[in-house]
């Protein structure tokens, strides 16, 4: 690891409730509230040569994709009363259009094949987005059913 550290505490915090506009009764405001919640997670990341218990998970590769001209797909607009959430109805179409190639590229970068993937973790942007992931990635229902059940119980 950089800096010679053998173990690092990695913490991620998301405070979506800070974007709730109490005077905004639009559907996107309520959908944003239903989909995105406050949360936090932490993990201890260790160097491979650290004398410790074997890791439960290993990061084999990482990838990020920037989608050109996608500023209007999803985000927040700064308004006088705070941050107003913005969702495009095109999100499922975007997932359908580009996810298969994106995942294939990520797997190739890691030197993996689809057969080596034991489970899938996708951001559940609602049932339509999950269905787009399932179609684009040709996932059987049991691969995404738990996330779909989560969406069904949170009024998305």
């Amino acid at each position: 690891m950089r800096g010679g550290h053998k173990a690092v505490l990695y913490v991620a915090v998301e405070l979506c409730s800070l974007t709730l506009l109490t005077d905004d009764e639009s559907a996107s405001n309520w959908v944003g509230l239903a989909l995105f919640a406050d949360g936090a997670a932490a993990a201890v990341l260790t160097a491979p040569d650290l004398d410790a218990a074997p890791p439960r998970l290993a990061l084999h590769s990482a990838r990020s994709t920037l989608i050109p001209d996608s500023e209007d797909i999803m985000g927040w607009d700064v308004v006088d009363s705070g941050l107003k959430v913005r969702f495009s109805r095109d999100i499922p179409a975007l997932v359908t259009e580009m996810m298969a190639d994106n995942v294939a590229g990520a797997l190739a970068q890691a030197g993996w094949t689809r057969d080596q993937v034991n489970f899938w973790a996708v951001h559940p942007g609602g049932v339509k987005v999950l269905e787009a992931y399932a179609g684009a990635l040709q996932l059987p229902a049991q691969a995404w059913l738990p996330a779909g059940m989560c969406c069904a119980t949170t009024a998305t």
Side-chain angles (χ1 to χ4, degrees), residues 8-29:
V8 175
L9 177 63
Y10 181 82
V11 180
V13 178
E14 190 167 350
L15 300 174
C16 295
S17 64
L18 295 175
T19 67
L20 174 65
L21 301 177
T22 57
D23 60 340
D24 180 2
E25 295 187 17
S26 68
S28 62
N29 191 43

Side-chain angles (χ1 to χ4, degrees), residues 107-132:
L107 290 172
Q109 176 183 319
W112 284 21
T113 66
R114 284 181 58 100
D115 295 338
Q116 293 173 291
V117 176
N118 294 324
F119 63 90
W120 296 89
V122 299
H123 191 287
V127 174
K128 290 179 183 177
V129 175
L130 284 172
E131 288 171 347

Side-chain angles (χ1 to χ4, degrees), residues 70-150:
S70 62
E71 296 85 7
D72 292 334
I73 298 295
M74 186 174 172
W76 285 267
D77 295 319
V78 178
V79 297
D80 289 340
S81 54
L83 296 173
K84 181 175 177 61
V85 69
R86 178 177 6 96
F87 298 117
S88 168
R89 295 186 187 277
D90 296 332
I91 295 171
L94 185 65
V95 169
T96 298
E97 176 185 325
M98 65 180 305
M99 194 52 58
D101 288 342
N102 199 8
V103 168
L107 290 172
Q109 176 183 319
W112 284 21
T113 66
R114 284 181 58 100
D115 295 338
Q116 293 173 291
V117 176
N118 294 324
F119 63 90
W120 296 89
V122 299
H123 191 287
V127 174
K128 290 179 183 177
V129 175
L130 284 172
E131 288 171 347
Y133 276 116
L137 300 176
Q138 300 175 342
L139 299 178
Q142 66 269 21
W144 64 280
L145 185 60
M149 289 171 50
C150 172

